[in-house]
Each structure stands twice: as C-alpha cells, then as structure tokens.
Amino acid sequence: MAFFNEPHMKHFSHYCGFLLLFCYELSVMTHFTISINRFFAAWAPFYYEKMFSLKSTRMILVILWVYTGSVAWLFYQYFCHLYYDEETHFFTFTKTEFCGQIGWYGDFLKNAAFVAIIVGLDVLTVLRVRHMTKKVSTSMSEDTQHNFTARDIRFLKQTVFQGSVFMLELLTYFFFPIYFKNQWIVFLGTSFAWVAVHAADGMVVIVCNPEIRRFLMCKKPMHQVSVTRSFNTQNL
C-alpha cells in the first residue's frame, strides 16, 4: 500500500487493520496470562497445579481467544474501522468522536495499563524467586547459585525490554502523528512500528535466553542440577 499505491489493498485495508489489532491485543493478553502463571507459581505454589492444570490452561486459552476476538470485532469491525489513510500513510480509526475515544481508551490506555501490570507482576515474581533461592542456597553448590542468579537477571531484563518495546510502540503510534508531519516518519513510527513490535518481542526472547539460541542452532542442551523445595522452579 505504501510503496506501490495498490488500490485494492487500500480498499480492504480495514480488514487488515482488524486482523493486525486482534493479533496485537491477543499478544498482550497472552503475555498477561503468562505473567499471572509465573506469579502464582512463585507466590502460591500449593494452588498452582489446581489453578493451572492442563484442563484449566486449555480453558483459559479458549476464553482468552473468545474474549479478545469478540471485543476486537465489536470495537474495530462493528463500531469502528481501523483503515489505511492515504493522506497520513498510517492506519487510523474512523474519524468520529466515538471512534476516537475507542482508540484512546480501548486501545492506548488499556494496552498501556496491561503492559505496566505485566512488568509489575514479573518483577514481583523475580523478587519472590530470589527470596526463595536465598532460603535454599545453603544446600546448593556455588555453580547452581550462580545459575539461579544469572537466570533471574536474564528474566528481569527480558521483562523490562519486552515491556519497553510494547510501551514505546504505543507512544510512537499515538504521538508521532501529532508532532511530526513527514509522511515517512509517521509511517515508520505508526504502521511499521505496530507490526515490527511482534518481531522485536520475539528477538528479545531469543537474546535473553541462551537455551533458546542453542535450540535454534541445533546445539545440545547444557545439563544443570537444580534443587526444588516448596516452590516449583521448573515452571518459572
């Protein structure tokens, strides 16, 4: 649409906008669910198996997809459209007061709040794991303690980086059109950043987790010995 001025893609761009926004919100909600999973594994280990059994987890995922899909269809397909604007070169909501409120409150503020909650939950999880690790450190070797510490630091970095990526994209998407008039700057800060955030999210996971890099490069996993006490470290 941007480079080749393709009229058919522009005409049906609101379907593309709906699909992209649905995937974006599903990604945020999935991160939120994973953060709750980690939080309960660290803070309520005795209730974890019951709350996040295989059956319960499948039910949670179904509810997550149905809820996110229903809200996205209602807001971004029925009430309003998210379409490609030729004048500004980025996806924008239908230009009505109601759709503007949906974009601000239903998209920006809602997703920003969820990102902040995700970061908060993950930080609390790291603090809890660090506290429990210190309690059992007397029965661990020095190498095992070092592995736990390094893993905690990597997880904290991943949490902060992922939250920063999502928050940065939200800020550029909603504020770049206000402060910049150059069409390509607006395009890169809105439509391109909106799609690129998912690739950046995956890159953060790869960079912060050496075991994933080893798996992708088909290297044999490194065997580590860990100690489990009253909380389930494997789920973390």
Side-chain angles (χ1 to χ4, degrees):
M1 288 185 293
F3 285 101
F4 300 107
N5 197 30
E6 218 291 321
H8 295 290
M9 294 182 67
K10 293 179 181 180
H11 179 72
F12 295 104
S13 63
H14 60 283
Y15 293 112
C16 180
F18 161 74
L19 181 61
L20 289 173
L21 198 49
F22 166 69
C23 292
Y24 179 89
E25 298 205 345
L26 185 63
S27 176
V28 173
M29 295 300 294
T30 302
H31 275 290
F32 177 65
T33 306
I34 294 173
S35 294
I36 293 178
N37 180 288
R38 295 184 183 128
F39 181 84
F40 274 94
W43 288 90
F46 298 107
Y47 299 98
Y48 178 82
E49 291 296 335
K50 182 178 180 180
M51 295 184 63
F52 290 97
S53 65
L54 183 59
K55 182 179 179 181
S56 298
T57 302
R58 287 174 176 172
M59 184 62 66
I60 291 172
L61 292 176
V62 170
I63 294 174
L64 183 70
W65 276 76
V66 171
Y67 167 76
T68 306
S70 300
V71 172
W73 181 87
L74 186 66
F75 282 175
Y76 313 129
Q77 191 66 27
Y78 182 75
F79 287 132
C80 301
H81 282 165
L82 190 71
Y83 66 98
Y84 181 76
D85 190 342
E86 293 189 60
E87 295 181 0
T88 57
H89 282 209
F90 78 102
F91 279 86
T92 185
F93 289 96
T94 306
K95 296 178 181 179
T96 64
E97 183 178 354
F98 177 70
C99 291
Q101 292 179 347
I102 286 181
W104 180 254
Y105 294 102
D107 184 15
F108 176 71
L109 292 183
K110 180 190 69 177
N111 289 319
F114 272 112
V115 169
I117 294 172
I118 290 168
V119 173
L121 288 174
D122 286 345
V123 170
L124 289 175
T125 300
V126 171
L127 294 177
R128 178 63 174 175
V129 173
R130 291 285 294 165
H131 175 72
M132 297 304 296
T133 303
K134 288 181 180 179
K135 279 191 174 183
V136 299
S137 60
T138 54
S139 59
M140 293 181 180
S141 66
E142 185 176 345
D143 289 339
T144 303
Q145 293 182 43
H146 175 73
N147 289 336
F148 269 102
T149 301
R151 185 180 301 174
D152 294 342
I153 293 175
R154 290 199 304 270
F155 177 64
L156 185 60
K157 287 181 178 179
Q158 176 181 324
T159 299
V160 173
F161 288 157
Q162 286 178 321
S164 300
V165 165
F166 274 90
M167 192 65 73
L168 180 63
E169 182 275 332
L170 285 170
L171 292 173
T172 59
Y173 193 92
F174 281 89
F175 291 103
F176 262 43
I178 298 176
Y179 296 103
F180 295 96
K181 300 301 180 182
N182 185 283
Q183 291 182 338
W184 287 108
I185 294 178
V186 173
F187 170 77
L188 292 174
T190 54
S191 299
F192 178 79
W194 181 27
V195 179
V197 67
H198 300 291
D201 185 38
M203 289 301 298
V204 169
V205 174
I206 294 174
V207 170
C208 294
N209 293 276
E211 61 272 16
I212 295 180
R213 295 198 299 272
R214 287 194 294 269
F215 173 78
L216 293 176
M217 296 190 313
C218 300
K219 293 184 178 180
K220 292 183 178 180
M222 297 176 60
H223 297 286
Q224 298 178 355
V225 178
S226 62
V227 178
T228 303
R229 284 294 189 267
S230 60
F231 68 108
N232 192 345
T233 55
Q234 184 64 30
N235 289 315
L236 302 178

